[in-house]
Amino acid sequence: PGRFGGSEEGRGKTIVIDYSSPNIAKPFHLGHLRSTVLGHAIRKLYESLGYKVIGVNHLGDWGTQFGFMLAAWQRWRQDAEARIARGEGEIDVFVSLYVRINQLAQEDPSVREEARSWFRRLEQGDREARSLWQYFVDRSKREFDRIYAILGIHHESDAGESFYEDKMQPGDPDKGGLGFPLILKSDGGTTYATRDLAAAFYRETTYHPERIVYVVGAPQTLHFKQLKKILELMGEPWHEKLVHVPFGQYIGMSTRQGNVVFLDEALTEGRRVATEAAESATKKQDLGPAEIAENARKIGAGAVKFFDLKNGRMKDIQLENNSAGKIDLSLITATKGETGPYVQFAYARLSGVLRNYGKEPTAAGVVFSLLGEPEANKVLKAIGEHPAKVRQALADFEPSIVARHLLDVADAVHSFLHVHRIMDSATEKVDPKVREARALLVGCARKVVGQCLDLLGIEPLEKM
Ligand code: ARG
């Protein structure tokens, strides 16, 4: 009894997906948000076909930039701590220190030397350097975890770049027509590419996966081509397993706002939508304050996810600013149109219809010819496409196929319910056999809508 559109073809097979992967002491920006949301949807697609998924958060927690961070912290620690104590965001403070130390290094070359020596200490496991670095890691992770909790996202592993520190052997790959990324610096230091090479080996030997998928923005396309080519030149047949899934970017707003502000504002807006929906329907709904608050989080997160996932992944996503210069969220959280609240509302509506019906619809004894109306046919057709849509979405790494399909099912069933009744009204009686057939149709539509929401990482709401 698997789910409709699911399969067992992936049974016994493992997929590694690298997604989200933000950088320590740097903002979690909208590119990371896209990677998080897309990567999560892709893992859901794999899971629905029976694969075991290892989600990896390849945190950017290593590299010479940490030498600069430590040098900056040593110089300006008091000032930084005072700013944090006054309520300034920790990551904002870290970023400003990093900018400041780099400016200083432009004027004063000894600062560069100082940073290099800090990084060397870090590499050598010096206690002071390690504990300062750990502080940045802990504080950054705390912020990332806050975001993941809102989004309902998790990883099986957060082996970041530093994890591979002791897993890097010198290599000597040839050119291969893609240029030559620096693998080992003259002073023995490693690079982003070295660490990705080590990570690929680790993933291959630890998990023996079918595929190693990287959900990372389009600007890193060359990096992943090089990575794959190097493995090929090293004679590793499993280089074939590497797949880079690139995506477009958010455009149309300043970078100042370009990070969590978007997420936080969408959540606030989601809260407003949820409260309003509950208030305007007090007769039909009996939602308590705790339920409303939980719905608010789900609606806000769902709005952000659907807004992202309804677009073909290579498309840039245009954000509009309103007259106050802030991101205009009305399109994202509207209850009508192609939005998260709309698809969640569809699920809540179908759930409500079935609550009124009062029992679990079943196919036993249903006279299917009673579903001959054109509106019913549309629903049946949309539902019937479900398994093929799921497969196509995974084959193309394109969750937007699920999102569009979800809109089709939701539209079709809304139109059906607009014209046809299930329960009697004061003026219209419904034949019990017709009621049974329609309830089954609604029950199936609800299942498909629920599965699509789940594939997109959007939490369903029974009541809204
Ligand atoms: N930390 C990188 C960035 O923010 C993304 C890492 C993606 N994953 C990888 N294995 N390179 O750009």
Side-chain angles (χ1 to χ4, degrees):
R3 54 195 215 167
F4 183 51
S7 96
E8 289 295 303
E9 68 180 62
R11 189 178 272 285
K13 297 179 188 160
T14 300
I15 302 291
V16 173
I17 310 185
D18 180 323
Y19 62 103
S20 196
S21 307
N23 303 315
I24 299 301
K26 293 274 164 62
F28 185 102
H29 58 62
L30 288 175
H32 297 125
L33 181 66
R34 286 215 79 184
S35 169
T36 308
V37 167
L38 271 165
H40 184 74
I42 291 170
R43 75 166 290 151
K44 285 289 197 172
L45 284 165
Y46 271 117
E47 284 171 336
S48 80
L49 297 184
Y51 290 89
K52 176 179 173 193
V53 172
I54 306 288
V56 185
N57 202 5
H58 188 78
L59 294 167
D61 59 0
W62 206 245
T64 44
Q65 71 271 26
F66 287 94
F68 283 91
M69 276 312 296
L70 298 193
W73 194 252
Q74 191 193 33
R75 277 165 188 262
W76 302 309
R77 178 178 196 148
Q78 283 205 336
D79 172 48
E81 284 178 341
R83 285 168 63 189
I84 291 168
R86 282 199 301 271
E88 222 176 302
E90 288 174 322
I91 306 233
D92 290 342
V93 173
F94 298 162
V95 171
S96 77
L97 288 193
Y98 185 69
V99 169
R100 196 166 153 199
I101 195 86
N102 274 288
Q103 277 163 356
L104 195 62
Q106 302 279 319
E107 300 153 19
D108 180 357
S110 75
V111 172
R112 203 163 282 280
E113 202 30 65
E114 198 180 305
R116 220 171 273 144
S117 122
W118 267 111
F119 188 59
R120 217 171 296 127
R121 284 174 67 181
L122 189 59
E123 282 183 306
Q124 286 160 359
D126 170 271
R127 277 191 49 196
E128 190 190 359
R130 281 281 163 159
S131 89
L132 286 178
W133 169 83
Q134 193 64 49
Y135 164 77
F136 293 121
V137 171
D138 291 345
R139 294 312 162 105
S140 300
K141 277 192 174 177
R142 196 161 73 177
E143 170 65 2
F144 302 155
D145 286 343
R146 183 182 76 86
I147 296 169
Y148 297 143
I150 293 170
L151 293 174
I153 297 285
H154 71 283
H155 292 86
E156 278 67 25
S157 158
D158 51 7
E161 295 185 42
S162 66
F163 179 75
Y164 304 100
E165 209 206 326
D166 58 356
K167 301 175 184 62
M168 289 180 274
Q169 307 294 321
D172 184 24
D174 208 333
K175 273 200 155 194
L178 290 170
F180 188 81
L182 188 61
I183 300 296
L184 203 60
K185 298 189 195 173
S186 53
D187 62 359
T190 61
T191 67
Y192 180 59
T194 331
R195 296 186 285 275
D196 251 330
L197 212 45
F201 272 99
Y202 179 83
R203 290 167 190 181
E204 165 61 14
T205 52
T206 307
Y207 304 114
H208 308 290
E210 286 291 297
R211 276 182 196 288
I212 305 174
V213 181
Y214 299 86
V215 186
V216 185
Q220 292 193 35
T221 300
L222 178 62
H223 167 75
F224 287 106
K225 276 192 179 159
Q226 289 173 332
L227 187 63
K228 208 167 161 172
K229 191 75 188 175
I230 291 169
L231 291 170
E232 186 187 344
L233 293 169
M234 287 171 86
E236 300 296 344
W238 52 270
H239 72 271
E240 300 270 11
K241 295 179 180 178
L242 272 64
V243 188
H244 175 216
V245 177
F247 51 81
Q249 47 180 313
Y250 280 95
I251 47 178
M253 55 159 190
S254 66
T255 44
R256 271 297 299 141
Q257 306 171 308
N259 47 62
V260 269
V261 177
F262 175 61
L263 196 59
D264 284 335
E265 284 178 0
L267 281 177
T268 309
E269 190 61 18
R271 201 161 294 140
R272 202 185 55 72
V273 171
T275 315
E276 219 172 75
E279 277 166 1
S280 73
T282 38
K283 259 187 282 168
K284 279 181 280 173
Q285 312 295 354
D286 43 9
L287 294 176
E291 249 176 321
I292 293 179
E294 184 53 10
N295 276 6
R297 182 190 64 78
K298 291 180 181 168
I299 293 170
V304 168
K305 289 179 184 175
F306 196 81
F307 180 71
D308 192 304
L309 295 172
K310 73 176 173 178
N311 300 289
R313 74 176 146 78
M314 286 308 290
K315 251 185 68 185
D316 288 340
I317 301 181
Q318 177 78 44
L319 287 172
E320 308 288 343
N321 281 337
N322 61 24
S323 51
K326 290 198 168 179
I327 300 163
D328 185 359
L329 292 161
S330 59
L331 283 176
I332 300 171
T333 57
T335 48
K336 293 208 173 70
E338 300 178 342
T339 67
Y342 171 75
V343 289
Q344 279 174 322
F345 181 69
Y347 186 85
R349 181 176 186 199
L350 300 179
S351 301
V353 169
L354 292 176
R355 274 196 301 276
N356 283 341
Y357 179 62
K359 54 186 180 233
E360 185 69 23
T362 131
V366 164
V367 182
F368 287 94
S369 58
L370 293 174
L371 295 174
E373 302 101 345
E375 296 81 13
N377 265 310
K378 273 201 150 158
V379 177
L380 286 167
K381 184 167 169 292
I383 290 175
E385 284 173 351
H386 184 63
K389 295 284 183 183
V390 172
R391 268 159 204 288
Q392 196 58 47
L394 184 56
D396 299 351
F397 295 109
E398 195 57 274
S400 65
I401 292 176
V402 174
R404 318 276 358 154
H405 163 56
L406 169 55
L407 288 170
D408 287 346
V409 177
D411 287 347
V413 77
H414 278 318
S415 308
F416 176 81
L417 289 173
H418 186 69
V419 182
H420 304 291
R421 302 197 56 89
I422 291 189
M423 305 311 287
D424 294 341
S425 71
T427 54
E428 192 189 334
K429 295 263 173 282
V430 180
D431 176 86
K433 288 311 272 182
V434 172
R435 172 164 26 251
E436 235 176 43
R438 288 181 182 168
L440 180 64
L441 186 70
V442 169
C444 292
R446 175 174 170 277
K447 280 211 170 113
V448 169
V449 168
Q451 286 179 19
C452 289
L453 289 171
D454 182 55
L455 289 172
L456 299 177
I458 299 176
E459 294 164 89
L461 298 166
E462 296 296 331
K463 295 178 184 179
M464 191 165 163

